[in-house]
Amino acid sequence: MNKRILILAIMLIGISGCKEEKGSNTENADHNHMEQPVTDTEKKVLSPHTSAMAMIGGAHIHMDYSSPGVRGRIIFGGLLPFDEVWQAGAHMATWIETDKDLLINGSLLKKGKYGFFLIPSKEKDWTVIFNTNWDQHGKDEYNSDQDVLRTSIKPIFKEEITEHLVYEVKDLDDGNGLITMRWEKAELNIPFKIK
């Protein structure tokens, strides 16, 4: 009798042990399944939305833009024709906001928010434009009558390619700063001073 009880007890322990082991295998299988990399089926954003900003001489300077890639294309003089207004980014027009007046390359830009446009040129300096209409798709509504400041800057062309359009707002010294644009082989440095 005791032998039967002992055998029965061993069988019950064995059965419950198998169930626990089986359950833990299921948990492990589920856990391992969750750890496998998830395939991203969404299309990669080709021109991600980004911004550049800095505090310079007590002023907050903020630029907002979408950053297209070169993707093997000729950009300036190809995708973007020379001597035509460009919204200085992709999708919506690039904009800049300052909470203090600035001297941009020696010309006054009053504090506020502005559309930022460029006119690239093959043989001349590039035109930098600040326009009151900052909230527009591309250059669809661009109107030169709304320009508040235009200035000319000589671009620098480099051998290495900057794949994605990038803006930087840099603090130099004593309330002086620099807005730098780089894309493809072009670099544009726009000096400013806090007024």
Side-chain angles (χ1 to χ4, degrees), residues 31-189:
H31 181 69
N32 288 339
H33 176 72
M34 290 175 68
E35 284 185 353
Q36 291 177 357
V38 177
T39 306
D40 185 11
T41 56
E42 291 182 24
K43 188 174 180 182
K44 185 178 176 185
V45 177
L46 297 177
S47 301
H49 180 249
T50 188
S51 62
M53 62 187 85
M55 287 294 294
I56 298 169
H60 180 254
I61 315 295
H62 181 134
M63 293 192 74
D64 187 276
Y65 64 102
S66 291
S67 173
V70 172
R71 302 197 317 268
R73 302 172 293 181
I74 295 170
I75 302 301
F76 299 107
L79 179 67
L80 302 173
F82 286 124
D83 304 313
E84 289 188 18
V85 172
W86 169 49
Q87 73 260 25
H91 309 305
M92 299 299 286
T94 294
W95 56 259
I96 183 169
E97 185 171 24
T98 174
D99 61 0
K100 293 201 186 253
D101 293 351
L102 306 178
L103 287 174
I104 304 271
N105 200 23
S107 298
L108 179 66
L109 180 71
K110 293 187 179 257
K111 68 180 180 179
K113 194 170 186 178
Y114 300 97
F116 181 83
F117 298 87
L118 296 171
I119 301 177
S121 182
K122 184 176 183 177
E123 298 176 8
K124 299 183 291 184
D125 290 353
W126 288 18
T127 304
V128 178
I129 303 167
F130 298 86
N131 184 282
T132 56
N133 187 357
W134 63 270
D135 187 18
Q136 59 180 292
H137 184 268
K139 58 179 182 177
D140 296 347
E141 301 166 35
Y142 173 78
N143 181 341
S144 62
D145 291 342
Q146 296 173 314
D147 292 350
V148 294
L149 189 151
R150 279 186 172 221
T151 189
S152 296
I153 302 286
K154 185 173 186 61
I156 299 166
F157 291 97
K158 301 186 170 185
E159 285 303 311
E160 66 273 11
I161 288 179
T162 301
E163 177 60 31
H164 274 271
L165 171 69
V166 63
Y167 286 95
E168 290 179 301
V169 182
K170 301 175 188 175
D171 185 358
L172 298 180
D173 57 24
D174 301 324
N176 290 296
L178 196 66
I179 296 166
T180 299
M181 185 276 320
R182 287 191 310 277
W183 193 27
E184 194 194 32
K185 295 183 177 184
E187 179 176 307
L188 203 62
N189 293 299

